[in-house]
Amino acid sequence: MNKHIDVKNSRANDAGLAKNTQIELDSNCISMVADAVGTPFYCYSPEVIAQAYEELSTALSPVGASVCYAVKANGNLSILQLLSRLGCGMDIVSGGEMERALEAGVPASRIIFSGVGKSPREIARALTEGVHQINVESPAEFHLVADIAASLGLRAPVALRVNPDVDAQTHAKISTGKKGDKFGVALGDVAGLFEAAAGRAEIEMVGLAVHIGSQILDLSPYRRAYGVLADLVRDLRTQGHAVPRLDLGGGIGIAYGDQGAPSVAELAAIIAETVGGLGCALTVEPGRWLVGRAGALVTTVLYTKEAGERTLAIVDAGMNDLVRPALYGAVHPLGVVRSARGGEGQSYGVVGPVCESSDIFGVYDDLPQLAAGDLVAFLCAGAYSASMASTYNARDLVPEVFVSNGRFRIVRRRQTTRELMALEKDTVWQDVESGPAPENRKGIA
Ligand SMILES: *Cc1c(COP(=O)(O)O)cnc(C)c1O
């Protein structure tokens, strides 16, 4: 018999929650996959990712906006391949993400290179590959891109990422569009850079970009940011500059619990109202919205114990596997995959094994009685979860698994401590004057 995972949430347990927040995981199936691959592991539904892409691209088709997936949300090659085959482009923020996108078969002509601190080496590689667009974030970067393009005999397609000075009303650590944030070119510098571009043959100024933050639940900051962009486009055109493209950024939030999430139809309406009539080619760059709901981190209960007033369930996944709770105070809904004792109404603080007091996933009410060997899953863990994992406490990166129609495919095998330790073996002293060892040069530009 198929029983869907029973979703428990620390904030609320209303009936609509499971549908709103997460794929309906089949608990029998996940339980068997857990036995086959061992916990902890990330599981993803390729169908849910494909559905999200279709829903978004359909909503945006009236405004003619194309979609570039923000690779940093989850750069697994199989996810990149899946989205690329559906016609999705990619938004990257590092040379490593560029290699991943290229490896997954994404044509460079569908890659946008964003990011506040691109190295000369990364810029050169992006130009040589022929990426669609480089989003430049400072006057200094503008001149560096121009110099590198000139030295390579290439023309760089550049958009300026502007800082629209808009508060995205999201968590301070993922707000990126306020004056004083490290991201983007100040509004006052934009016209001057368009002017400078007119004098540099190696720069093709293709437009403007914004990205105001992540996990945005109230869409009104988008209206303000896109309004700022529209005014800027009109001003630039008055000054005789062409602005053929607008990159509208990502950031659309998803529901992690009982809070409502915005609809992409609403976002499309805001786009139509603000920048729809400008005749620009439009792109959006969501990460979380495309993959966040499609993943879960499945973990085994190792122990339960009393700690003061509270009962703790210690699980085998830790903050190194899923850092969002420790980093942003995020709370992932918890699904119960397998519980030997059953029951309900139990409250547990769910914690990991990492030696840090911040290794706490949250306090969850209305759980069954948990015991060693039970399986639970942190839901909505498709974005900024596996991609932010570390090996802290010498914990190996966990496997990632596609699950679909009673079948599973390991799309990232478990890393072993032996593989990690190999990087630290056979080390040798060398004379500083002989320069860096060849295998370390990559980071040096
Ligand atoms: C992180 C990022 C995105 C994606 O953000 P989401 O919140 O995952 O949609 C898009 N564009 C840029 C420039 C980013 O840095």
Side-chain angles (χ1 to χ4, degrees), residues 202-219:
E202 56 283 352
I203 294 284
E204 180 193 4
M205 197 61 112
V206 295
L208 298 170
V210 282
H211 173 69
I212 54 173
S214 194
Q215 184 54 9
I216 297 169
L217 293 172
D218 167 6
L219 295 183

Side-chain angles (χ1 to χ4, degrees), residues 70 72-73 91 93 114-115 135 137 161 183 210-211 213-216 249-252 285-289 383-384:
K72 73 178 190 284
D91 176 73
V93 292
S114 301
N135 290 352
E137 300 217 14
R161 172 172 175 183
F183 299 97
V210 282
H211 173 69
S214 194
Q215 184 54 9
I216 297 169
I252 320 160
E285 309 166 340
R288 187 189 314 269
W289 201 87
Y384 304 106

Side-chain angles (χ1 to χ4, degrees), residues 179-204:
K179 195 162 133 187
D181 285 342
K182 72 174 179 177
F183 299 97
V185 172
L187 287 174
D189 289 338
V190 172
L193 287 173
F194 268 76
E195 208 52 57
R200 296 209 64 162
E202 56 283 352
I203 294 284
E204 180 193 4

